[in-house]
Each structure stands twice: as C-alpha cells, then as structure tokens.
Amino acid sequence: MTKERLYIFDTTLRDGAQTAGIEFSLEDKLSIIGLLERIGVDYVEGGYPGANPVDTELFSKSRTKSATFTAFGMTKRAGRSVENDPGVQGLINSAAPATCFVAKAWDHQVELALSSTTDEHLQGLAETVRIAVDNGKEVLIDLEHFFDGYKANRDYALRCAEVALEAGARWVVLCDTNGGTMPGEISEIVSEVCSRVPGDHLGIHAHNDTGQAIANSLAAVEAGVRQVQGTLNGIGERCGNADLITLVPTLVLKSRYADRFELGITSEQLARFTQISRAFDDRLNRAPARQSPYVGASAFATKAGIHASALAKDFSTYEHVEPESVGNVRSIMVSQQAGKSNLLTALARHGIAMDKNDPRLERLLETVKERESRGYSYDGADASFCLLAHEVMGTLPVYFDVESYRASVERRHNARGELVTVTEAVVKIRVGEELLMSVAEGNGPINALDTAMRKDLGKYSHQIEDLELVDFKVRILNGGTGAVTRVLVESRDGTGERWFTIGVSPNIIDASFEALYESISYKLLKTEAAQATTAAE
Amino acid sequence: MTKERLYIFDTTLRDGAQTAGIEFSLEDKLSIIGLLERIGVDYVEGGYPGANPVDTELFSKSRTKSATFTAFGMTKRAGRSVENDPGVQGLINSAAPATCFVAKAWDHQVELALSSTTDEHLQGLAETVRIAVDNGKEVLIDLEHFFDGYKANRDYALRCAEVALEAGARWVVLCDTNGGTMPGEISEIVSEVCSRVPGDHLGIHAHNDTGQAIANSLAAVEAGVRQVQGTLNGIGERCGNADLITLVPTLVLKSRYADRFELGITSEQLARFTQISRAFDDRLNRAPARQSPYVGASAFATKAGIHASALAKDFSTYEHVEPESVGNVRSIMVSQQAGKSNLLTALARHGIAMDKNDPRLERLLETVKERESRGYSYDGADASFCLLAHEVMGTLPVYFDVESYRASVERRHNARGELVTVTEAVVKIRVGEELLMSVAEGNGPINALDTAMRKDLGKYSHQIEDLELVDFKVRILNGGTGAVTRVLVESRDGTGERWFTIGVSPNIIDASFEALYESISYKLLKTEAAQATTAAE
C-alpha cells in the first residue's frame, strides 16, 4: 500500500512567539531555524514581517535550506484594494516562498472583530490568495475559529475553505483558535469537511486549552487532514500549541499512523528529538520538563523496584517505544550500558575514538554523573563535555592557569551628582613561566573579567582574536539556601562555529568565570587540532 | 434525561508517589488528602499499607471525611492461600473501607513477571476479591496492561474482568500501564469490553506517555466506563497520570459530557481548582506550570494586541470557558502591543481604578512602551508594573533611597594554598532622615547585596522579615556589544503570595539590584495596603 504524505508545519517562531514571557531576538530566531532544520520539519513559519523590526529583518532573506520558509500575515483589510494594502504587499515582497494569510471562519467574529461582512471578507480572502499566487507564492490560509465557526454557521465556514482553494491556495488550515474543541468533535467536523474539500489540502492547528492538542491533531489526521501544525515543546499563547516534539514521534513510531503515512522526517532526525527539545529550552533559559513525553528526563525512568526488575526482563513491559528512537535514554540501574553507548556517540562527535571496554570510559561516565548531580548539564554544553573527556583521558593540555582574580562594582554619585556605576576586574594568569597581570573595566563584572582575561594571554593572544561571546545565560538550581548558579556561555569565532560551555558554583561570578575559561580553552584546543590537521596534510 | 453518575478516583498518593523526585511524608499525605476533599473527589487512594512505614501508619486510621479512602496492594501470590498471604491480610485489616488489588491482564506478563500461569492467576484473583468482600470491603481490581493484554490475548484480558466482577468486585479498572495506547484504540477496545461487562463497573487509568492521558480517559468515558482515575497536576511515573485538574473541568464544563454525566463535584468545588493546584505545587516545592490548562497563570492570558481588543468585545473569542469557573483570572498582558484597554484591565487587577480619558493613562502607556523598547518586559513582572503605575500616577511612596553600593568578588589562594572566593557588599540607605550603612558577605555579589540591603531598613525592617527570594533569572538581550541584561526576580512572603520584579541594565549587578529593590518596595506597598484595609474595617 502506498503511504500518504503527511506534512509537518512548525509555528514556534510565530504562534510560539505569543507565549507569555517569550520574546525572540533575530539571533534566537536564526538559531531556532537551525534546530528545526535538524529535525526536518516541512515548513518553518518565521513570523509576521512588517509587525516588528525583528521579523522584518528576518524576512529580508531566505533563511532555510530544506524547509519551506513561510511568512504570516492578515488577508486584505476591508475597504481597500490588495494593491493598496501595505500588509499584503509586505508579505508578497518578503523573501519567503510561502505565505500564510489568516482569515476568520466564524461569521460572528467577522462582524465583531473586523466590523466587516462575510461577503466582503470572502471576497478579500479570494483576492489576497490570487495576488499572492500570481506573485509566485505557495499560499496557506489559516481559518481562525474554524470549529466554533462551523458549529455556529456551517455553510460560511465551509465556504471560506472552498473559496481559498478555488483561488489557488495550496493549504487551508483549520484552526481551533480558542482551544476548546474536543477530539470527538474534531473528528466529526473534519470528516464532514473532507466530504466537501480534498483532505490533502487541509491542515490542523490545535491549541492545548483542555490538554488535548495532540489528540485533536491526531483525530484530524485520522479524519483526513494531511498537514499538522505545532511548535517545539508546545510553546504558544495561553496553554500552548500542539507539541511537535510529542506529536511527530507518535506519527512515526505508532503503527496506527506509521502504516498509513509517510513523513519527511527520517529516523536519524527523530533520534535528535531529545537533544533538540533540550537545546530549545536552553535557548529559552528554562529547565526542560522532566515529564515530557518521549524526551523528558523521566520519560523512560523507572522508580518502582518491581517495575525495574520486570523491565530488566523485557523492556516492552513499561516502555511503549524504545527510548533510543527519540535519542532519550532509559534511566534505571541497568542503564549503565546505555550510558556507555551514549558516551561513545558523543565522543565520536568530537573526533575521540575510544574502545567500549576502555576503563577510562567508565571513569568518564562516573565523572559526568557526579558532575550532573552537582548541577552541570552536558546536554547543552558540548564544548565543556569535550574538555572534560580530554581531561579524564589525560589529553587536555594546560594552556594557562588563572592564579587569582577580583571584580568589583560600585554605584555612587559622581562629582556632578549623577549616579554612575564603575566596574573593574583584575586577573593574574600564568602562561608557562610568565606571570601576566591585566586590569580592565567593563559594563558588568563578567564582561570586565572576560576583557581582562583576554587582554594578555601571552603567546596565545593572537589565537583568540576572533573569539566572540554571543550569549550568556544564568539559571538558579534548587532554589533556596542550597542554591547553585549554572551559567551557560555561547561563543563563536571567525570560522562561524558556535560552542557552549558551562560553569556551576554557588557564586555567579565563579560560575561565569569557569564557563569563560572553558570557552577560551576549547578555542585553543580546536585551533591546535586544526593546525595539526593542516600540518599533516 | 437522567444523567449517569461518573466517579473520580484520585491516585496522587499511590501512583503519584512513583514520580521521580517525589517522596511523601505522612504530613504531606494528610495535607494532600485535605486538598482532595476540598475539591470533592469520590475516592482517595492513599498508598500501599505494608510497603513502607509511612503508608502503614497512614492506614492505621480512616483518614477521609467524604471521599472513600482506598488501600492498594497485590492480589494473592501464586503458591499460597489468601489466608496465608500477609499482603492480602494486611489490606483486609487496614482501616480503609475500600481496597484496590492489582492483577495482570496480559498473559505474557503473568508468565514473565510473576512466573505463574494464567489459570492460577485468575483463581488467585477470584479468591482475593472474595475474601476482601467477605470482610466488608468495597473492592476494586486494577487490571495492569489491560490494553496491551487485550491486543495480545483478548479472551484472557476479558476473562480477568469477568472473574473479578463475578467474585464481587465493585470496579474493574482498565489500565494503560505503559501509556502507549492511542485514543482511537481505547475507544474501540472499551466499546468491545462494554458489550461483555457492564460499563458502570469499569474504570480507566491512563498514563501520559504520548501526551494523551486526558484524551484516553475521555475516549473511555465516551465508550462506556464510569470511573476515571488520575492525579493532582498529573504527577506520576514517567510522564505522569491523567491530570484531574484538567480532566474534571472538561467533564463539568463541556456540554458533550455535562449533558450526559453527573459528578460528585459541585461548582463551588470546581472554583477551587486553581487554588488547589497551586497549593499542591507549593507542597511539592516547585513553581506552578504557567501553561497548565484551566489553572495556569497563562491559561487565560492574552498577549497579542489584536486578540486583546477582540477579547474586550467578547470573551468567547479567545476563551473556551470562563476563567472564574475554575477560580482562575483573565490576564491581559501589558506588552509591546499594549493598548489602553489592556492597561485598564491590568490596573484594575492591582486595585487601581482609572478613567480611560485620564491623561495619566496615556503617560503610563508611553512609559511602558519606552521601557519595553529598552528591554523591560512587564508580561512576567506584574509587581514592577504595579510600582511603575503608582509612580506615573504620583502615588508611589518613597520608602527608602539607596545612596550607593559596592560589591566585590575575589578569588585567590588562601594561606593554606586553597582556592577561595570572598564576596562582600556594602550598601548605604537613606530611610527618612536616617542614613544606614550595612555590610554583608554572600555566596555571590547579588546575594551579598540582597543581604546587606535587608540587614537594616530602619523602621521597615520588621515588615520584610517574611520576604523570601524564590528565583532569579538572567537573560542577555540583543547579544553583542549593545547587550543589556534583564533580571527577573521571584519573591514570596508569609501570605503565600508570589510576585515578580524586573531590572534592566548593561550591568548585571545594577539590573539585579533594581529587581531586588523593587521586590522590597512592592512588599512594603502591599503591606501598607493590607494595613489600610484592616484599619478601615
């Protein structure tokens, strides 16, 4: 039987940007597009060009390699022509090959929110689709409030879908905008819609207001839609959108769907889901949810003794899929083996080959576990892991030692009575036989320390000239008196490579300094490796 | 039409206790039983008497007033009589009027995990039910792995249910033990089971391994079961159980269920759900999830300007139920797109009444926009917004002024050659005519500044005694040289109220200090308001 193609549409950067407390910079958006391409979604909706400077800049270029980059915006406003609607024109002129226009499928909303009529709205919808298609765009129409609209005025809701498709839209997306529709209703309504318009032109956009965004999406797929929308880790307005990190593994791994549908996501890409989900939380500066389906730290963790021993006999007992399929690990005592094979994979990524019986592997595993129990997390700090591995293997050169440092911040009134802040740092570094001492000011203690440390690294100074600190994140672990601070530093150099280092300490300055020190060490290590390769060639 | 009774069974204290990282004391269990009784669940499963001292002590008395207190344990072991099985005898002798025995409905598991035969297991099941019924217990049978078992050996799984009911069990609970069953499968299998045994004797116990515990529970109810199991906030092994805090509001508020079923939970009890959910998180010492359906802080929060203005016209636009029905509140966030109507709603929440034509409203709007363009974000910092509003209105008292401060961190080798870090802060504060100077050490510069600032606030010192810093988050905005640091501080006091304040500056110390200063100011402001109310009464 030929499988039908099911398309995955990601709206992390658009609907996800509506999440309370989340505001994406251009840097964030570019990095998240990188994550999305690593898992192979079909569409990446980047935002709303024209609505804010970040999105306007984002859509000045095409930003994806394999996914279809998609811009979002409104259909033509009532009372003006498409040619004179700056919103529509902005979308047509964006660098994205696909455009998603939002229209209202609930008659009541058209009158209430747009102060327009349904006829005028349908006509605007058709004109918008046509001009975008004429300008070479792949067009999607988000039908807002589709399910509530369908219950209130079935004919108008259906007409919206038909008009959009007749005008040339590739997709009509049925949105459960306020998130209150039950899976049974989704199933009934989508079945009826599919008797009028072809399901392979329909998508589903579900919200999680009753905790059923996943179930609603699957119900729609079973009833006929062929595009599913969602976000990384289910972020989004109110209770969030359908979580693609949960939904995609279900579609790929469960025979109920796998037997019928084909996705553009390979099993190699699926095996990155755990890593991508955690990297995304890192970018949001929040702790990954332990109980997340498939990718959470507890998703394959077993506490009960009776369960653990049954697991040892047969994993299917308490696991519905294999943790490795999504890049997660089983977490019980017998997982030592799984731990080792994980480590070997991570080491190989850094070009370190090690035999699985090498006693240093056991030592590295213990060191990682001990450090993670103290608050380190190597999931998001690959460069620090690489340094740690070299250290345990005895192959980490000591480039330089920091003898001592001091940072001070003083806020006071200056001679003119203005409040000023003066920040200063002093660092003493030993490079070989040399003792180097540097002082620097900065716009904060960490910036001052970073500047002072890099000011004079003796013979290594020229090697770190292109090293740049891109981002710096702080998280407090185990709130209260026993709290430690975890600092994650993102660095970049002239080659375009980015790397992450981590520092943990009760003191934010010590934690930051550790992460900065490791960033420089990693840069020196990789420069040395590159030179060795060049010399050998 | 007479409605059918649907029973809610809570297993927070039994299955929930399997959650990684959760361990309940007797004190915890008694307090949680109190929470459960306030929302009116029908059954409270307290634990496994005999398995550990806490549960044995818990079951020495009856612990509930209205709910049916239930003990959990295993059916008779193979190779001994019920009279000689200490587990079964322990359950019969517990003070709980109901007992839930677990049996295995998957033939493969009986052989693998119990090293028994299906015939022997069925016989043990029947004998266990009979002796418990003879001793006056209401008996429930948890059929572990029911759905996987049904797919593997339909007859044996069904036979388990029939044997339990024939022997006198009140309920047979169908468990999706490894959590991998899809709602469509639940629906199909439960429908078939209901053609063989009466649905009003069946329950559903779903796990969230594919994010569908809620949908699976509802699918089972639609197909015929009349008891639903779950936990507070969905805690439980791996990805958790069905979240009763999400499930019950859906059953009560959605006509698809409300029209057919009657629960033992009143609308007064439903209106406590937000409070109970948060109180439970407090007991677990964790921050409530903002995106939780119905009860999360974001569940009825709207960020987008376009949505907010539509909401003001008609709440049904972006809300599927009324927030008040579950004790939650609507929250129109003050953000970039803030309009005046947003601001008025936000002000009202802080008890500030303002006319929409008041010129100070325009000034506040401009101030918010100007500050957000510099990196402030009032979405997540309600207390800072409240202070800002009072400041713009000219109603913010100046409790104290900070004249100057200084923080220093020094890392060096001590006399014994060990690396040590010494952190110190000095703060000069003016309270009225008094100039107060304090010095403190800390485990970081921010902790030292916080300690020094609170050490002596003159006449305000006693008012901030119960103020506690709960969390501290740092974010760098616009990476690179133009970067500013945003610090978000979460505070709590003896009343249990939590509030968020924000600070923004290129210097992390200044930003942190600003957020700490605002946290103290907010605490003083709210204490004053509370005193004014008390005085007026």
Side-chain angles (χ1 to χ4, degrees), chain A residues 144-192:
Chain A
E144 243 200 336
H145 289 298
F146 183 82
F147 296 93
D148 293 307
Y150 190 93
K151 288 188 237 174
N153 181 344
R154 186 170 171 278
D155 289 338
Y156 172 66
L158 280 169
R159 199 73 204 107
C160 289
E162 287 168 344
V163 164
L165 293 175
E166 282 158 14
R170 165 68 184 89
W171 292 104
V172 165
V173 182
L174 313 178
C175 302
D176 183 27
T177 305
N178 72 20
T181 310
M182 298 291 109
E185 295 172 318
I186 297 272
S187 178
E188 289 149 19
I189 294 175
V190 171
S191 297
E192 287 172 30

Side-chain angles (χ1 to χ4, degrees), chain B residues 406-422:
Chain B
R406 190 178 73 228
S408 68
V409 178
E410 187 168 3
R411 184 156 175 88
R412 56 178 164 72
H413 291 87
N414 68 9
R416 285 198 298 273
E418 303 154 339
L419 261 180
V420 292
T421 302
V422 181

Side-chain angles (χ1 to χ4, degrees), chain B residues 439-481:
Chain B
V439 58
E441 287 196 333
N443 58 16
I446 294 145
N447 175 246
L449 278 168
D450 183 38
T451 310
M453 177 158 53
R454 294 209 227 169
K455 215 165 177 179
D456 189 0
L457 273 184
K459 60 182 174 180
Y460 299 117
S461 286
H462 68 283
Q463 288 185 22
I464 58 161
E465 272 164 10
D466 64 340
L467 169 63
E468 194 188 335
L469 176 63
V470 184
D471 203 359
F472 170 83
K473 284 196 176 124
V474 181
R475 179 87 217 260
I476 311 296
L477 306 169
N478 324 314
T481 48

Side-chain angles (χ1 to χ4, degrees), chain A residues 22 108 144-145 180 236 238 254 256 285 291 298 303 314 317 405 407 409 411 421 423 443 472 476 507 510, chain B residues 22 108 145 180 236 238 254 291 298 303 314 317-318 405 407 409 411 421 423 443 472 474 476 507 510:
Chain A
I22 288 182
H108 169 64
E144 243 200 336
H145 289 298
R238 303 188 313 272
K254 296 288 174 182
R256 190 176 183 93
N285 196 20
Q291 296 211 315
S298 299
K303 190 174 174 183
D314 178 2
T317 311
Y405 57 76
V409 178
R411 184 157 176 88
T421 302
T423 306
N443 59 15
F472 169 84
I476 313 296
N507 193 313
D510 284 338
Chain B
I22 287 181
H108 169 64
H145 290 297
R238 302 188 312 273
K254 296 288 173 182
Q291 296 211 316
S298 299
K303 191 172 175 182
D314 177 2
T317 311
Y318 295 98
Y405 57 77
V409 178
R411 184 156 175 88
T421 302
T423 305
N443 58 16
F472 170 83
V474 181
I476 311 296
N507 192 312
D510 284 338

